[in-house]
Amino acid sequence: MADRKRRARRRGASRQAVQTERYNIKTLHEDREYGLYWYAWIWKILRPVLIFLCSLLIVIGMVSVVYNKVYDNFLGPVDANHTEKVKFEIESGQSVTSIGASLEKQNLIHSGSIFKYMVQFEGLSNKLSYGSFELSPSMTVQEIVSELTSGSQTSERTITIVPGWTCEDVAEYLLEEGAIDSTEEFLNLCNDVDRFVGDSYALKSAQDAGTLAGRKYALEGYLAPDTYRVFMSASAESIIATLLEQHNKVIDSVYYADNVQYRIEEDGSYTAVEGYESDLTMDQYIILASMIEKEAAKSEDYARVSAVFHNRLKQGWRLESDPTATYTFGLSHYILSQEELTDQNLYNTYVVSGLPIGPICNPSTAALQAAMHPDMEYIEQGYMYFCATDPGTGELAFAITREEHEQNVARYQQMWAEYDARNTVG
């Protein structure tokens, strides 16, 4: 009996051991289902966090793709590589819609509507100022909005009138710069003597002398070459008045200045140089200066050219200046046709004696000084001729005798013909 009891206890212990072993294997498999063995509770916490983060990354990616698409097509620069600045003008009273359309038309932004909505959304409509701005296609819409509302606009523009330009040249230039609406209006004003006679010493002098009749443009010669700052809103009349005012200053500094010139001696002292005596009037000096400006490419030749013209005037010779023969034709070249040489107009110094009827361009201050103060050495030695050498250098060849002059012409004429073939205007 006791043996049976002992055997029963052993069987119970075996069953309990088997039950314990089965429990351990089950729990081990449960742990392995989560991949963290007995750390399953940590995975249960991390799993929803990781799911959330992955979902967030997907959403951010989608938003980023949409934003980049919108930025590239609407908000970004039209051309990130085009950094050159261009002028953009806003007129007084111009609407936000119109400004946006103008920006789009000038290829500075992708969409005028987007510009309008951004300005209105940011409450900047009243901060847009009229004037001239410097913008580029490499700027974003936001950068352009900031620029147009920053108060950095200019109310003035810079214009530069080049010595030797005619009234027609000035008109074309101002039209290109957007300073005038039409060349016709400007050129009509250049013949309106009554409107401007009170603004110009020289114009008044010519009117009093009765020499304005027959001129192509009454104001030719009196529009002083220089660089100016004028208001963006300046009219053609206002611009002309500004140029005439500057010409008065030139006249004051040259014509009414002390005409005594001085030479510096070796010991450092100054010696007065005898000036050239001439009976030319103020207006005639301006006419002569315009011829000098057109004939001499280099300022060091101005006084020499002036000496040749003064010598010819003194001898009663025709001046035979090529630019005077081509002035009414509006042309510029070296070899003149027979028609140009013989054209019967009051500017052509091949057919008229003395000076032409009026200036043939708007001369520089240096040219006017040379007209009044010719090179005395060339005066005394009797230089009577000059011609261009190689047109590319701007050099002139001077001569005393006709024979020497004709040799110079023969030497350089082929160069003139080749130059004309490449560069003739008109």
Side-chain angles (χ1 to χ4, degrees):
M1 175 65 81
D3 290 337
R4 285 198 296 273
K5 290 181 178 179
R6 282 196 295 273
R7 285 196 293 272
R9 285 196 294 272
R10 285 199 293 273
R11 284 196 294 274
S14 295
R15 285 196 295 271
Q16 186 176 4
V18 170
Q19 289 174 353
T20 302
E21 182 180 356
R22 286 175 180 174
Y23 173 77
N24 291 337
I25 292 173
K26 181 179 179 182
T27 57
L28 180 61
H29 279 292
E30 288 177 350
D31 286 343
R32 286 180 174 176
E33 280 187 74
Y34 295 96
L36 295 175
Y37 296 91
W38 59 85
Y39 297 107
W41 63 276
I42 297 177
W43 175 246
K44 289 179 180 179
I45 295 173
L46 289 178
R47 187 182 184 198
V49 174
L50 292 175
I51 292 173
F52 171 77
L53 292 176
C54 289
S55 300
L56 182 61
L57 288 174
I58 292 172
V59 172
I60 291 174
M62 294 174 64
V63 171
S64 178
V65 170
V66 173
Y67 175 79
N68 288 336
K69 192 74 172 177
V70 171
Y71 181 83
D72 290 340
N73 292 330
F74 299 102
L75 303 177
V78 173
D79 185 352
N81 296 320
H82 189 178
T83 57
E84 184 178 350
K85 298 283 188 178
V86 297
K87 287 184 179 180
F88 179 77
E89 294 186 13
I90 298 179
E91 298 178 0
S92 179
Q94 191 172 2
S95 68
V96 179
T97 301
S98 176
I99 295 171
S102 297
L103 287 167
E104 184 177 350
K105 184 177 181 180
Q106 289 189 223
N107 206 34
L108 291 168
I109 60 174
H110 292 286
S111 169
S113 298
I114 293 296
F115 170 83
K116 172 186 174 182
Y117 296 144
M118 287 186 63
V119 170
Q120 292 178 339
F121 178 77
E122 296 180 27
L124 299 174
S125 298
N126 293 328
K127 291 189 176 182
L128 290 170
S129 303
Y130 72 89
S132 180
F133 298 83
E134 297 287 333
L135 306 176
S136 81
S138 64
M139 298 172 70
T140 65
V141 176
Q142 185 58 59
E143 288 173 337
I144 288 177
V145 170
S146 298
E147 183 70 17
L148 299 184
T149 57
S150 66
S152 64
Q153 79 280 7
T154 58
S155 60
E156 295 180 327
R157 73 170 90 238
T158 300
I159 59 173
T160 299
I161 308 303
V162 177
W165 275 1
T166 64
C167 287
E168 292 176 354
D169 294 328
V170 175
E172 290 291 342
Y173 165 74
L174 293 177
L175 182 65
E176 290 175 3
E177 291 294 304
I180 60 175
D181 295 326
S182 74
T183 58
E184 182 180 3
E185 176 195 5
F186 185 88
L187 294 176
N188 286 338
L189 287 171
C190 285
N191 271 324
D192 194 341
V193 177
D194 292 338
R195 187 185 300 261
F196 297 108
V197 70
D199 297 324
S200 170
Y201 304 156
L203 185 62
K204 182 66 166 62
S205 174
Q207 185 188 54
D208 292 343
T211 59
L212 291 177
R215 294 189 182 185
K216 187 175 182 180
Y217 297 108
L219 300 189
E220 190 81 273
Y222 313 135
L223 305 181
D226 210 326
T227 296
Y228 301 86
R229 294 285 296 175
V230 298
F231 287 111
M232 299 291 294
S233 58
S235 63
E237 180 179 351
S238 174
I239 292 174
I240 289 175
T242 298
L243 304 186
L244 293 176
E245 180 181 355
Q246 178 60 25
H247 191 262
N248 287 337
K249 295 178 182 178
V250 172
I251 294 297
D252 285 341
S253 67
V254 179
Y255 189 78
Y256 290 116
D258 179 5
N259 291 327
V260 178
Q261 294 185 318
Y262 297 89
R263 179 179 63 247
I264 302 178
E265 303 295 348
E266 292 182 359
D267 61 1
S269 61
Y270 290 83
T271 302
V273 178
E274 184 180 352
Y276 183 74
E277 295 292 333
S278 172
D279 58 359
L280 295 183
T281 65
M282 177 199 300
D283 197 51
Q284 288 173 326
Y285 276 124
I286 294 171
I287 294 172
L288 180 58
S290 73
M291 296 171 61
I292 295 169
E293 191 73 62
K294 281 295 191 181
E295 291 281 13
K298 296 186 174 182
S299 58
E300 55 263 33
D301 283 332
Y302 284 2
R304 297 167 188 165
V305 171
S306 176
V308 170
F309 284 144
H310 276 290
N311 283 341
R312 295 176 77 93
L313 287 170
K314 187 174 182 179
Q315 294 296 325
W317 292 14
R318 286 179 178 162
L319 298 182
E320 297 183 349
S321 170
D322 289 2
T324 66
T326 59
Y327 174 69
T328 58
F329 291 89
L331 304 177
S332 177
H333 48 243
Y334 280 85
I335 299 181
L336 275 59
S337 67
Q338 190 63 26
E339 177 189 4
E340 291 166 336
L341 290 171
T342 59
D343 187 64
Q344 299 295 313
N345 71 76
L346 297 177
Y347 285 95
N348 188 357
T349 55
Y350 279 92
V351 298
V352 300
S353 299
L355 294 166
I357 191 172
I360 59 172
C361 73
N362 294 287
S364 63
T365 302
L368 182 58
Q369 288 173 332
M372 297 184 63
H373 306 290
D375 187 300
M376 292 305 297
E377 182 178 346
Y378 273 50
I379 289 285
E380 292 165 1
Q381 293 184 20
Y383 278 87
M384 304 296 289
Y385 305 90
F386 64 85
C387 70
T389 59
D390 178 356
T393 67
E395 299 286 344
L396 295 178
F398 293 86
I400 296 174
T401 67
R402 176 173 288 276
E403 181 182 6
E404 183 184 0
H405 174 64
E406 289 176 348
Q407 290 174 355
N408 288 336
V409 171
R411 183 179 300 116
Y412 300 113
Q413 195 167 31
Q414 182 59 36
M415 293 183 183
W416 306 343
E418 293 172 356
Y419 183 87
D420 283 348
R422 296 191 304 267
N423 302 287
T424 295
V425 178

